[in-house]
């Protein structure tokens, strides 16, 4: 555990302990479901951060990797009986390769251009899957109900295993992100973000580092996709490849604090419960109030605290300490 | 000439002209302020609804509500700039990207709240029906909208090239610092451009409402396509956006007809990707 | 001493009686909760509202006393459970499959519903019913039409209404019947369908039945429902010169295509459609342009001709909501009756008992508002074997049942008279 201050270790362990104990105290499946969503989007927000918050490539097309992960593992499971855990890794690799192939030529694009290119990319992938008969096209894939248990990556009687698995994924993502941020690569990213041209003049191999960032980000996002498929047991392009999911990922990272390790987790912890709770208690009157609140919050955050909530917190901490 | 080819070209041109009109507003905002207005599609929606309500409540034909829609969207644009967007101009790029997303979600859902998600139609506009010119069926509302797009684009072009304010906008677009040094009030230009960009897409909305159905999320696909058009034409270039819009309309229609309609939007996005790989500044950008 | 023992025995017996009586009373719930998942917000909130209304009317009839030939209408509540009333607990799915799952779970574990209905969109019904299958709770669906729902070998899932496979087959059967009746030859079919689960399932089924019935498919087009323009699609159709077009769409694309067909003068011998064209908002939007289009349907108001029950139910619906019953509302109207009937016969709210009762369901045809022989579930797939659709044609801006020919209210107009020369 190199490089963690003792304060960080204590706080980290405390938070982790709470996360572990929480679903045992609050046993409502709805609560557990919301927390699972928080962690799952947390993974994707952290993954986005590696590309966007750190390396300055603001991707609005992450959902493509999410979908590729979900589809790869599900297709392999249904057609060849491949174990979902193996499918998880394969899905991540496929996503990373696609990211390298398509993302790399785009990685030199400046902020806005890259963002639009990523939207275009996401839509192309979705259209393709929507028409690809091999993977069910628009009908999607219904995963078979296996016996259940760790080896099947499927659990029927309780959500707890899902909860802990996605929590583990989140920890993995956070660790990777931290590694990136503290590594030479992360240092260079900050340089690249500050000024693309200066970094290039200094001889930093911008292209190579961007490639690595894209691939790592895609791998982690695809992991979340496989998790989703094993959790919901049904995927179709209309639910795992649509632009709103990409936007949500960006918003989570942004709200919590782009370019920070914990930021996306905070963002997810705020946005997912708001979205779910307002839907359950306000939504059913059919008036879209929950999304109104959402949009308003996002506008507010980008105007007044673009560093996100984490920015707020660390400012306060700096002032105090 | 294979049958249907002429018909498809005509239709491609017509949808292209509509795209062009939507795109020039977006490129103006983008060029002047370097902001991608993700709420552009929602401004289109507001224009469409404004036209619809004027028709339903006051019996005003969409053609006559064009000036009203333009003014309404101009005001909305300026206010949004003054009170929201201007505050992120000095912030990080991500904030600039996200703020218009927030506005987009807000506007779309405000529309849901106020007007329900049901879609609406203007059923008897003044100019409706079809002209039958030989083998080609020309939809009158679409033809009128295309004409309107050409006229509006020409007007904007002239405004930018010939008037003092217009030239100031162009100057700010080209080199912001220099414009500032020349005594141009760039903040005022910003808010003017944002308002103008919104007004242009408001006009597009009024025209579109004569033949397309109206509902809160209608801005979605039109907006996404508009981004591709602007980037294809080169951000900031009005003529670039205009030409790119027509090109995209043709590609979409002919690609859909000859290749596979299921892929027609994917083809449009593919063209965008290829263009930015080969020529990042777009066709006519700098 | 004796009195003491006597009083203790009496007290004990009294307590025992109270406890036992109380326990049996507890087993007779006064309210039976049924979960209902529908898209109450989002793009198709108006359809969700339609469905909600149909289900609510059904529950009203069950809970109240009505002189109608519907199951449990004449009694208040469920007689075999002491008059217990049904309570629908609604949840909003927003049309998202993951919400279907979480809402179904929430309704079962927190609201303690004993059964589920919904969810209109087949993708959402899939996940919601997966949740109930995992939780071993019965799910009766009467408003989702994907054939795949009853191909999963689920134990707790039942479907009352017809599915797109049988709807597609109906359309081809109609063509065969029509060829005989009007002595016309029909050879080629064009398929047009929106590209989500619904449309593509129809496309798949139609391709299969076209082959079976011996028709040639000359165009097979899938498109995005929210397209900005459909001239390419219609261009391809015109080029293919089909005798008949079969179109599976939602409401917005139904409108866009109708306008484009008229604009580009695409006029095959017949335009046969699914879903979107029978939404309540379609005819008000296109007015007379909708005339002569044929749509598959489970319900039409003119069924009242052969079945007065339909008119009676529509009267109630109109009184309560101010509008006529739509096809969606009519479909969602079925599930509560089937469940209530089963729970009543089971005399219990335990899942296993309800499932057993559902498997034994045999509601006669005169007790439903649809043109069916009744409700009876196939023991393996749990699909209602009597479910069938009809075909309606828009005539004078109204829906008229035209097939099966022996149940038709009006004679079908064929071929399609074209667009020119009409108002």
């Amino acid at each position: 555990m190199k490089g963690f201050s003792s304060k960080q270790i204590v706080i980290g362990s405390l938070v982790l302990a709470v996360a572990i104990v929480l679903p045992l105290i609050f046993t409502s499946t709805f609560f557990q479901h919301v927390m699972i969503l928080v962690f799952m989007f947390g993974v994707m927000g952290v993954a986005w951060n590696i590309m966007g918050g750190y390396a300055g490539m603001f991707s609005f097309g992450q959902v493509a990797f999410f979908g590729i992960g979900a589809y790869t593992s599900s297709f392999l499971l249904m057609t060849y009986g491949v174990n979902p855990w193996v499918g998880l890794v394969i899905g991540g690799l496929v996503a990373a390769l696609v990211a390298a192939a398509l993302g790399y030529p785009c990685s030199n694009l400046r902020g806005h251009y890259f963002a639009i290119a990523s939207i275009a990319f996401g839509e192309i992938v979705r259209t393709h899957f929507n028409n690809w008969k091999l993977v069910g096209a628009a009908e999607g894939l219904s995963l078979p109900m296996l016996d259940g248990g760790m080896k099947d990556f499927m659990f029927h009687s309780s959500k707890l295993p899902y909860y802990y698995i996605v929590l583990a994924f989140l920890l993995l993502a956070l660790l990777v992100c931290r590694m990136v941020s503290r590594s030479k690569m992360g240092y260079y990213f900050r340089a690249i973000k500050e000024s693309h041209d200066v970094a290039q003049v200094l001889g930093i191999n911008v292209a190579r580092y961007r490639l690595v960032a894209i691939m790592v980000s895609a791998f982690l996002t695809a992991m979340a996709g496989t998790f989703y498929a094993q959790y919901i047991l049904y995927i179709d392009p209309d639910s795992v490849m649509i632009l709103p999911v990409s936007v949500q990922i960006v918003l989570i990272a942004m709200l919590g604090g782009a370019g920070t390790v914990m930021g996306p987790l905070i963002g997810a912890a705020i946005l997912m419960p708001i979205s779910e709770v307002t839907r359950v208690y306000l939504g059913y009157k059919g008036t879209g109030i929950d999304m109104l609140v959402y949009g308003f919050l996002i506008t507010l955050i980008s105007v007044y605290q673009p560093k996100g909530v984490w920015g707020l917190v660390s400012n306060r901490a700096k002032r105090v300490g | 000439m294979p049958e249907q080819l002429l018909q498809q070209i005509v239709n491609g041109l017509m949808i292209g002209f509509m795209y062009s009109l939507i795109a020039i507003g977006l490129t103006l905002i983008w060029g002047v302020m370097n902001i991608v207005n993700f709420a552009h599609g929602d401004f289109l929606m507001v224009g469409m609804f404004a036209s619809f309500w004027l028709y339903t409540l006051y019996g005003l034909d969409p053609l006559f509500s064009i000036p009203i829609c333009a003014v309404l969207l101009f005001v909305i644009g300026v206010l949004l700039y003054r009170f929201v967007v201007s505050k992120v101009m000095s912030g990080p790029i991500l904030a600039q990207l996200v703020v218009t997303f927030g506005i987009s979600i807000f506007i779309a859902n405000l529309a849901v709240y106020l007007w329900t998600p049901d879609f609406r139609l203007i059923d008897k506009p003044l100019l409706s029906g079809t002209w039958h010119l030989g083998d080609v069926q020309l939809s009158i509302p679409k033809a009128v909208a295309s004409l309107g797009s050409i006229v509006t684009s020409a007007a904007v072009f002239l405004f930018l090239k010939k008037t003092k304010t217009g030239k100031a906008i162009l100057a700010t677009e080209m080199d912001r610092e220099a414009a500032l040094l020349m005594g141009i009030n760039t903040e005022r230009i910003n808010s003017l451009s944002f308002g103008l960009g919104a007004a242009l897409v408001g006009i597009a909305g009024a025209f579109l409402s004569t033949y397309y159905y109206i509902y809160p999320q209608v801005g979605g696909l039109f907006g996404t396509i508009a981004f591709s058009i602007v980037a294809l034409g080169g951000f900031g270039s009005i003529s670039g956006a205009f030409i790119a819009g027509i090109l995209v309309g043709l590609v979409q229609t002919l690609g859909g007809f000859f290749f596979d309609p299921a892929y027609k939007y994917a083809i449009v996005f593919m063209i965008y990707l290829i263009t930015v790989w080969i020529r990042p500044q777009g066709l006519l950008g700098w | 001493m004796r009195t003491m023992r006597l009083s203790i025995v009496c007290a004990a017996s009294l307590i025992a009686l109270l406890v036992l009586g109380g326990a049996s009373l507890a087993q007779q719930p006064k309210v039976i909760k049924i979960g209902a998942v529908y898209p109450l917000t989002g793009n198709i909130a108006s359809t969700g509202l339609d469905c909600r209304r149909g289900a609510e009317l059904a529950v009203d009839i069950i809970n109240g006393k009505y002189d109608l030939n519907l199951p449990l209408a004449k009694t208040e509540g469920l007689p075999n459970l002491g008059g217990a009333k049904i309570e629908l607990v609604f949840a909003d799915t927003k049309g998202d499959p993951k919400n279907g799952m979480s809402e179904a779970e929430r309704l079962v574990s927190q609201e303690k519903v004993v059964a589920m209905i919904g969810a209109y969109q087949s993708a959402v019904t899939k996940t919601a019913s997966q949740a109930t299958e995992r939780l071993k709770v019965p799910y009766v669906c009467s408003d989702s039409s994907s054939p795949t729902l009853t191909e999963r070998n689920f134990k707790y899932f039942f479907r009352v209404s017809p599915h797109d496979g049988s709807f597609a087959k109906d359309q081809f059967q109609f063509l065969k019947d029509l060829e005989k009746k009007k002595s016309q030859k029909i050879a080629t079919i064009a398929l047009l369908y929106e590209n989500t689960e619904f449309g593509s399932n129809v496309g798949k089924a139609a391709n299969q039945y076209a082959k079976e019935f011996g028709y040639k498919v000359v165009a097979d087009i899938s498109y995005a429902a929210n397209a900005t323009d459909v001239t390419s699609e219609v261009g391809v159709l015109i080029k293919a010169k089909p005798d008949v077009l079969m179109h599976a769409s939602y409401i917005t694309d139904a409108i866009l295509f109708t306008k484009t067909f008229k604009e580009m003068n695409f006029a095959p011998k017949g335009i046969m459609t699914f879903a979107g064209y029978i939404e309540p908002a379609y005819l008000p939007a296109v007015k007379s342009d909708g005339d002569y289009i044929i749509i598959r349907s489970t319900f039409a108001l003119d069924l009242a001709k052969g079945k007065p029950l339909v008119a009676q139910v529509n009267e109630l619906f109109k009184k309560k909501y101010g509008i006529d019953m739509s096809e969606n509302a009519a479909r969602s109207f079925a599930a509560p009756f089937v469940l209530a009937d089963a729970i009543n016969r089971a005399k219990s709210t335990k899942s296993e008992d309800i499932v057993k009762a559902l498997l034994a369901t045999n509601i006669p045809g005169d007790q439903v508002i649809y043109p069916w022989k009744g409700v009876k579930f196939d023991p393996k797939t749990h699909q209602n074997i009597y479910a069938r659709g009809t075909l309606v044609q828009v005539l004078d801006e109204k829906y008229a049942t035209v097939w099966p020919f022996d149940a038709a209210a009006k004679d079908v107009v064929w071929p399609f008279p074209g667009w020119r020369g009409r108002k």
Side-chain angles (χ1 to χ4, degrees):
Chain A
M1 280 272 204
K2 67 164 179 171
F4 283 104
S5 74
S6 49
K7 187 166 91 153
Q8 283 177 323
I9 293 180
V10 169
I11 296 184
S13 314
L14 217 62
V15 171
L16 186 60
V18 168
I20 292 176
V21 166
L22 215 51
L24 302 170
I25 304 176
F26 295 103
T27 53
S28 118
T29 49
F30 181 62
F31 174 80
Q32 293 173 352
H33 173 73
V34 174
M35 290 312 295
I36 288 174
L37 287 181
V38 168
F39 295 154
M40 190 181 85
F41 273 95
V43 170
M44 296 201 278
V46 172
W48 181 90
N49 226 358
I50 294 174
M51 251 179 92
Y54 285 105
M57 292 177 283
F58 304 124
S59 162
F60 281 83
Q62 295 298 85
V63 77
F65 305 129
F66 180 69
I68 289 175
Y71 264 94
T72 308
S73 60
S74 306
F75 172 71
L76 289 173
L77 173 65
M78 289 171 66
T79 320
Y80 301 111
V82 172
N83 183 285
W85 292 104
V86 176
L88 175 78
V89 174
I90 298 180
L93 291 172
V94 172
L97 282 170
V98 172
L102 284 169
Y104 181 53
C106 294
S107 61
N108 281 320
L109 297 175
R110 305 298 166 105
H112 297 126
Y113 279 114
F114 185 86
I116 307 262
S118 64
I119 294 179
F121 166 65
E123 284 296 290
I124 292 172
V125 172
R126 184 179 63 82
T127 307
H128 186 62
F129 272 82
N130 220 14
N131 290 290
W132 197 3
K133 295 259 158 25
L134 183 68
V135 295
E139 286 167 47
L141 296 174
S142 280
L143 276 71
M145 282 231 210
L146 303 172
D147 292 326
M150 205 46 131
K151 67 165 170 56
D152 286 334
F153 199 159
M154 219 182 267
F155 314 94
H156 302 299
S157 45
S158 159
K159 279 199 201 296
L160 285 179
Y162 283 121
Y163 180 98
Y164 291 121
I165 289 177
V166 75
L167 179 58
F169 283 5
L170 179 61
L171 288 171
L172 174 68
L174 286 170
L175 267 156
V176 169
C177 188
R178 194 168 193 286
M179 257 167 49
V180 165
S181 116
R182 287 182 151 244
S183 68
K184 198 161 70 162
M185 187 164 72
Y187 182 71
Y188 286 157
F189 279 160
R190 281 190 278 282
I192 293 169
K193 211 169 153 206
E194 287 305 309
S195 170
H196 196 136
D197 302 313
V198 169
Q200 220 153 9
V201 163
L202 286 177
I204 299 172
N205 193 342
V206 174
R208 176 147 63 94
Y209 287 128
R210 287 189 146 192
L211 186 62
V212 172
I214 292 176
M215 290 176 75
V216 170
S217 178
F219 189 97
L220 287 170
T221 309
M223 278 177 68
T226 299
F227 175 82
Y228 175 91
Q230 298 295 123
Y231 179 48
I232 305 279
L233 296 181
Y234 172 68
I235 56 174
D236 69 336
D238 233 17
S239 51
V240 300
M241 287 193 156
I242 46 174
L243 182 59
V245 175
S246 290
V247 173
Q248 203 157 20
I249 295 173
V250 179
L251 295 177
I252 281 171
M254 164 105 197
L255 179 64
T260 68
V261 177
M262 294 299 284
L265 179 56
I266 295 178
I270 297 177
L271 280 181
M272 296 321 296
I274 288 182
S275 156
E276 289 294 298
V277 170
T278 52
R279 175 177 58 80
V280 172
Y281 295 110
L282 286 178
Y284 76 90
K285 292 206 179 70
T287 45
I289 291 185
D290 57 332
M291 293 300 281
L292 260 176
V293 169
Y294 210 71
F296 186 69
L297 258 175
I298 289 154
T299 312
L300 216 62
I301 278 283
S302 44
V303 169
Y304 289 112
Q305 188 43 278
K307 284 214 180 68
V309 173
W310 187 253
L312 269 173
V313 167
S314 53
N315 279 350
R316 204 143 297 172
K318 279 202 194 98
R319 251 179 270 144
V320 170
Chain B
M1 179 172 280
E3 64 172 283
Q4 276 294 305
L5 180 62
L6 193 57
Q7 174 75 68
Q8 294 296 319
I9 291 178
V10 168
N11 276 106
L13 283 172
M14 292 203 290
I15 188 80
F17 283 124
M18 175 53 69
Y19 285 160
S20 296
L21 188 54
I22 296 173
I24 55 177
L26 185 62
T27 203
L28 187 63
I29 294 175
W30 197 333
V32 171
M33 284 168 275
N34 219 353
I35 281 222
V36 179
N37 179 17
F38 282 112
H40 207 66
D42 303 281
F43 289 165
L44 177 74
M45 180 267 294
V46 173
M48 290 172 83
F49 264 107
S51 163
F52 172 77
W53 288 121
L54 287 167
Y55 174 83
T56 310
L57 297 173
Y58 304 111
L60 194 61
D61 187 82
L63 285 176
F64 300 125
S65 42
I66 287 170
I68 305 180
C69 291
V71 170
L72 177 67
L73 263 306
F74 182 81
V75 169
I76 291 178
V78 169
L79 287 175
L80 272 174
Y81 180 79
R82 279 279 166 75
F83 292 109
V84 183
V85 183
S86 56
K87 305 207 199 279
V88 299
M89 292 306 295
S90 46
I93 295 185
L94 190 59
Q96 294 171 16
L97 276 171
V98 172
V99 74
T100 53
F101 251 118
I103 294 174
S104 161
I105 295 175
F106 188 79
I107 293 181
N109 284 284
L110 188 59
V112 170
Y113 180 70
L114 293 172
W115 303 317
T116 81
D118 282 341
F119 66 92
R120 311 289 171 56
L121 264 179
I122 293 181
D123 49 353
K124 279 251 171 313
L126 204 60
L127 296 169
S128 56
T130 321
W131 274 326
H132 309 293
L133 306 167
D135 265 337
V136 175
Q137 327 294 335
L138 197 68
S139 152
I140 295 178
K142 285 186 192 168
V144 171
S146 305
L147 197 61
S149 163
I150 297 174
V151 167
T152 313
S153 307
V156 171
F157 203 68
L158 285 172
F159 167 75
L160 289 174
K161 287 260 169 142
K162 305 282 179 188
T163 67
K164 189 150 165 249
T165 321
K167 286 197 243 198
I169 291 179
L170 279 179
T172 315
E173 233 191 302
M174 267 190 264
D175 191 333
R176 202 179 189 83
E177 266 99 45
L180 208 54
L181 287 172
M182 296 295 280
I184 294 176
N185 182 346
T186 48
E187 261 309 288
R188 213 186 116 239
I189 294 290
N190 275 0
S191 96
L192 199 63
S193 308
F194 205 87
L196 186 55
L200 287 169
V201 74
I203 296 174
F207 277 120
L208 191 59
S209 68
T210 59
Y211 61 88
Y212 200 80
Y213 49 89
I214 304 157
Y215 68 111
Q217 272 89 8
V218 72
L221 189 55
F222 284 101
T224 315
I225 293 177
F227 303 139
S228 301
I229 294 174
V230 168
L232 184 62
F235 84 111
S237 166
I238 304 278
S239 38
F242 191 76
I243 295 174
I246 299 172
L247 266 167
V248 167
L250 283 169
V251 164
Q252 171 191 307
T253 314
L254 293 172
F257 180 66
F258 285 109
F259 181 54
D260 185 348
Y263 283 95
K264 64 185 193 192
Y265 297 113
I267 296 176
V268 169
F269 294 130
M270 234 15 256
I271 300 238
Y272 166 74
L273 281 178
I274 294 174
T275 309
V276 288
W277 288 341
I278 303 176
R279 196 185 151 85
Q281 68 271 46
L283 293 172
L284 289 168
W286 45 80
Chain C
M1 237 331 143
R2 267 246 211 96
T3 358
M4 183 76 135
R5 257 195 285 166
L6 198 54
S7 11
I8 293 180
V9 170
C10 280
S13 325
L14 204 60
I15 294 173
L17 257 160
L18 278 169
V19 167
L20 279 170
S24 67
L25 269 172
Q27 257 145 9
Q28 302 263 40
K30 278 294 155 192
V31 165
I32 299 175
K33 284 189 183 178
I34 295 185
V37 282
Y38 284 110
L40 300 172
T41 62
N43 287 5
I44 62 170
S46 52
T47 303
L49 181 60
D50 251 354
C51 297
R52 183 188 172 130
R53 286 177 168 163
E56 275 178 340
L57 181 64
V59 169
D60 269 356
I61 294 176
I62 294 167
N63 287 346
K65 199 177 198 172
Y66 291 82
D67 186 21
L68 291 171
N69 191 12
L70 285 166
L72 303 172
K74 302 204 174 125
T75 54
E76 278 189 31
L78 274 58
N80 290 352
L81 283 166
K85 306 249 166 117
I86 304 265
E87 183 192 316
L88 283 177
V89 184
F90 283 95
D92 177 19
T93 65
K94 270 204 165 79
D96 185 344
K98 76 172 186 301
N99 293 341
M101 179 189 95
S102 72
E103 288 304 286
E105 285 171 349
R106 192 176 64 81
L107 287 173
V108 171
S109 53
Q110 271 169 252
E111 298 289 333
K112 307 272 188 264
V113 302
V114 303
M116 197 76 63
I117 65 172
Y120 184 72
Q121 288 143 310
S122 295
V124 180
T125 307
K126 260 190 207 166
T127 51
S129 57
Q130 245 156 358
T132 51
E133 190 75 6
R134 270 169 156 173
L135 294 164
K136 303 203 198 315
V137 167
Y139 191 132
V140 174
C141 174
S142 62
D143 41 46
S144 299
S145 57
S146 168
T148 52
L149 287 170
T150 37
E151 288 167 6
R152 301 177 291 176
N153 284 329
F154 274 16
K155 180 169 171 216
Y156 295 87
F157 182 82
F158 293 79
R159 175 168 44 201
V160 183
S161 46
H163 59 73
D164 286 321
S166 62
F167 281 135
K169 193 168 176 196
D170 284 344
Q171 299 215 345
F172 285 101
Q173 187 60 56
F174 162 77
L175 288 177
K176 275 270 174 289
D177 290 349
L178 185 75
E179 282 189 89
K180 248 185 249 153
K181 183 171 179 193
K182 301 245 175 182
S183 316
Q184 289 205 10
K185 186 85 185 78
I186 295 168
T188 55
I189 313 274
L191 299 176
L192 177 69
Y193 45 94
E194 63 86 42
N195 65 3
T196 68
E197 208 255 0
F198 156 61
S200 59
N201 258 319
V202 172
K204 196 159 116 189
N207 264 304
Q208 176 200 332
Y209 287 115
K211 221 184 271 167
E212 258 180 54
F213 281 78
Y215 294 105
K216 180 154 180 265
V217 174
V218 294
D220 187 323
I221 304 172
S222 143
Y223 66 90
N226 67 338
T228 56
D229 170 84
V230 292
T231 45
S232 330
E233 286 83 351
V234 179
V236 174
L237 286 174
I238 293 179
K239 196 155 137 200
K241 295 197 187 22
D243 288 328
V244 172
L245 169 72
M246 288 190 179
H247 185 194
S249 73
Y250 285 113
I251 168 88
T252 47
D253 35 331
I255 294 177
L256 193 57
F257 270 99
T258 306
K259 282 175 163 274
T260 314
F261 290 155
K262 180 174 177 184
E263 186 186 303
M264 292 173 72
N265 202 22
F266 172 64
K269 294 200 192 130
I271 297 180
M272 303 183 59
T273 67
F274 294 71
Y277 293 78
I278 206 168
E279 291 274 343
Y282 174 75
L283 285 178
V286 302
K287 304 245 167 58
S288 59
D289 290 341
D291 276 351
Y292 309 115
I293 293 181
I294 297 173
I295 311 136
R296 68 100 175 103
S297 173
T298 322
F299 174 82
L301 291 172
D302 63 12
L303 287 171
K305 243 198 211 160
K307 215 178 228 187
L309 180 65
V310 171
Q312 291 166 334
V313 170
N314 191 40
E315 269 315 300
L316 281 175
F317 191 89
K318 231 164 148 172
K319 205 157 84 180
K320 191 166 168 162
Y321 300 114
I323 50 173
D324 281 324
M325 212 168 183
S326 70
E327 214 242 357
N328 290 327
R331 284 202 284 176
S332 304
F333 182 74
F337 282 108
V338 173
L339 261 174
D341 166 76
I343 297 175
N344 192 43
R345 278 183 289 111
K347 295 196 183 65
S348 129
T349 55
K350 293 225 257 301
S351 293
E352 302 305 320
D353 298 334
I354 301 179
V355 169
K356 207 153 139 223
L358 282 168
L359 285 168
T361 299
N362 200 349
I363 299 177
D366 55 346
Q367 283 187 24
V368 299
I369 58 173
Y370 322 98
W372 306 341
K373 283 211 199 81
V375 180
K376 188 167 177 182
F377 295 109
D378 175 286
K380 187 156 169 284
T381 63
H382 296 185
Q383 169 70 41
N384 177 12
I385 59 178
Y386 294 136
R388 56 173 300 175
T390 60
L391 289 178
V392 297
Q393 186 172 35
V394 183
L395 295 169
D396 287 324
E397 300 182 37
K398 279 203 278 284
Y399 297 108
T401 305
V402 292
W403 183 86
F405 294 134
D406 50 7
K410 282 221 173 101
D411 198 21
V412 64
V413 174
W414 186 284
F416 183 74
W419 301 102
R420 312 279 172 82
R422 279 207 266 168
K423 194 173 55 82

